Amino acid sequence: MPSDVMTSDYRSRRDRVRVALAQAGGETVADAVVISDLINVRYLTGFTGSNGAVLIWSDDASADRICTDGRYLTQVAEQAGDLDAVIARDCLTELAVHAAGKGARAVGFESDAVTVAAHRGLADRMGELDSAAAELVPLQGLVQGLRLVKDAGEVDALRRACAVGDSALATLVERGVIRPGATEREVARALEWEMFALGADAVAFETIVAAGANSAVPHHRPTDAVLADGDLVKIDFGAVVEGYHSDMTRTYVLGRAADWQREIYDLVAAAQAAGRAALHPGAELRGVDAAARSVIAAAGHGEHYVHGLGHGVGLEIHEAPGIGALATGTLPCGAAVTVEPGVYLPGRGGVRIEDTLVVTDGPPELLTATDKTFTVI
């Protein structure tokens, strides 16, 4: 069974779902909801199996249930032992039918996670019940909205994931792994191996190592391209610790630097500093993007900055909120986000500088500590 502290956290999160179910003009939107997105199941229960769902009632925490199949009997008891378990293969249907059998007149489901085929099967099964079938209520983004604000335990996991990334990159620099003659793929694999050696549970995403002209491709995938003297080398990577993802990008120059490389690096660094400074509770998301984007546009490189400023990070590498020119909404206190402007000159090279930060009532907390000074290695 999870620790008492973690069990309390999961119960508190499920209680927040109960509150959310009752926020439509004071009326309950559903008597119960079945959460089947596995990331959301983990967030609400601690369970990490590959098949599962959790039933949350609007008014009775003691009636909540978790469902998984027989492969995970031991795991569900260890990770979500505070919940009674239902053992079945089709957990979405099993829990919805269970709720209807217990008197629920409206059962919510995650319409952004349930396929059309799964919904059809669920509706057919509900319609076969002897009692009048409960109404199926589509709910979208219910748990994702709660996940936007990180609690203390989540921030601690993010700190540790970022520390693994910082240490791994420092080790590669110290050992001379990032050098002329190495390939992009060799550097990427060495960095990933070092993160595992430092305690990462997984890599956050496919590591990006992009050298020379390849650095002008924002999401270049490492190849056997050989690093050469004078190359810009862009490295975008992250570690996973206890399910939480870090995300950081640093750009170096090998051997010797050209004036144009220093110029675009300094420009991106200034834009990134402006974006970080704009992170505060209540800030308009598109305004945070504009704070950084305007610096690059004013220097005549607006067309060379081709993506948003950042995104939320947590149990997923990309989650709410998105920070971009078309984003809507504001930043809440406690959001964990990236700030990652870039300038990409096709055929020549590109620079991106990225940090992971947490929005606070004061200056944002910087979780990625690797130095951002222009560096020739």
Side-chain angles (χ1 to χ4, degrees), residues 37-110:
D37 179 286
L38 289 174
I39 297 295
N40 292 337
V41 171
R42 177 173 187 163
Y43 178 76
L44 295 170
T45 70
F47 179 65
T48 61
S50 65
N51 181 30
V54 58
L55 172 67
I56 299 175
W57 289 84
S58 64
D59 59 356
D60 186 4
S62 68
D64 292 350
R65 296 289 183 271
I66 189 168
C67 178
T68 186
D69 63 66
R71 295 171 296 168
Y72 298 109
L73 281 170
T74 299
Q75 184 175 334
V76 75
E78 291 176 346
Q79 295 181 330
D82 63 315
L83 288 169
D84 289 339
V86 175
I87 304 303
R89 191 70 182 180
D90 182 355
C91 288
L92 170 65
T93 300
E94 189 73 19
L95 291 182
V97 169
H98 174 84
K102 293 295 183 180
R105 305 300 300 160
V107 180
F109 68 96
E110 293 180 291

Side-chain angles (χ1 to χ4, degrees), residues 11-377:
R11 287 174 179 164
S12 176
R13 292 171 187 176
R14 295 195 295 270
D15 286 341
R16 291 169 64 201
V17 173
R18 264 180 272 282
V19 172
L21 287 175
Q23 284 186 339
E27 296 184 3
T28 301
V29 296
D31 300 308
V33 60
V34 179
I35 303 298
S36 56
D37 179 286
L38 289 174
I39 297 295
N40 292 337
V41 171
R42 177 173 187 163
Y43 178 76
L44 295 170
T45 70
F47 179 65
T48 61
S50 65
N51 181 30
V54 58
L55 172 67
I56 299 175
W57 289 84
S58 64
D59 59 356
D60 186 4
S62 68
D64 292 350
R65 296 289 183 271
I66 189 168
C67 178
T68 186
D69 63 66
R71 295 171 296 168
Y72 298 109
L73 281 170
T74 299
Q75 184 175 334
V76 75
E78 291 176 346
Q79 295 181 330
D82 63 315
L83 288 169
D84 289 339
V86 175
I87 304 303
R89 191 70 182 180
D90 182 355
C91 288
L92 170 65
T93 300
E94 189 73 19
L95 291 182
V97 169
H98 174 84
K102 293 295 183 180
R105 305 300 300 160
V107 180
F109 68 96
E110 293 180 291
S111 58
D112 47 349
V114 175
T115 66
V116 172
H119 178 264
R120 183 181 298 117
L122 172 60
D124 288 346
R125 181 69 183 88
M126 295 286 277
E128 294 171 357
L129 298 179
D130 291 336
S131 58
E135 176 189 4
L136 290 173
V137 180
L139 300 173
Q140 185 170 337
L142 181 69
V143 181
Q144 287 88 331
L146 303 180
R147 283 169 44 197
L148 196 153
V149 175
K150 271 54 181 181
D151 60 33
E154 292 179 288
V155 174
D156 180 65
L158 286 166
R159 286 193 194 101
R160 286 181 285 129
C162 290
V164 166
D166 285 324
S167 296
L169 182 58
T171 297
L172 261 62
V173 173
E174 291 166 4
R175 293 179 179 170
V177 174
I178 308 169
R179 57 175 174 77
T183 69
E184 294 172 339
R185 188 173 281 117
E186 288 169 347
V187 174
R189 297 297 88 83
L191 182 54
E192 291 171 349
W193 177 255
E194 192 60 33
M195 286 190 286
F196 282 117
L198 289 166
D201 301 322
V203 295
F205 51 91
E206 183 179 6
T207 298
I208 296 171
V209 176
N214 290 338
S215 63
V217 180
H219 276 192
H220 173 73
R221 302 180 72 177
T223 68
D224 289 326
V226 177
L227 280 61
D229 189 58
D231 277 354
L232 283 164
V233 181
K234 181 184 68 196
I235 304 175
D236 186 349
F237 67 105
V240 180
V241 173
E242 293 186 5
Y244 286 82
H245 298 64
S246 68
D247 198 357
M248 180 171 71
T249 307
R250 294 294 184 265
T251 306
Y252 300 110
V253 178
L254 294 183
R256 55 185 173 80
D259 288 344
W260 70 269
Q261 292 171 327
R262 292 180 181 273
E263 288 171 3
I264 64 168
Y265 189 95
D266 289 345
L267 175 60
V268 173
Q272 210 251 357
R276 296 196 318 268
L279 296 177
H280 58 82
E284 294 283 344
L285 293 170
R286 65 179 62 186
V288 177
D289 178 270
R293 192 172 301 276
S294 62
V295 174
I296 293 174
H301 283 290
E303 65 182 296
H304 298 133
Y305 177 19
V306 295
H307 54 74
L309 180 64
H311 54 85
V313 64
L315 285 171
E316 295 178 282
I317 189 59
H318 291 102
E319 56 183 55
I323 305 175
L326 301 179
T328 59
T330 60
L331 274 176
C333 187
V337 298
T338 67
V339 174
E340 49 180 302
V343 169
Y344 311 95
L345 306 180
R348 299 181 70 189
V351 172
R352 180 163 67 249
I353 303 171
E354 175 186 21
D355 285 310
T356 298
L357 308 98
V358 177
V359 179
T360 74
D361 287 327
E365 179 183 354
L366 180 66
L367 302 186
T368 42
T370 299
D371 184 40
K372 293 184 286 288
T373 304
F374 182 79
T375 301
V376 178
I377 57 178

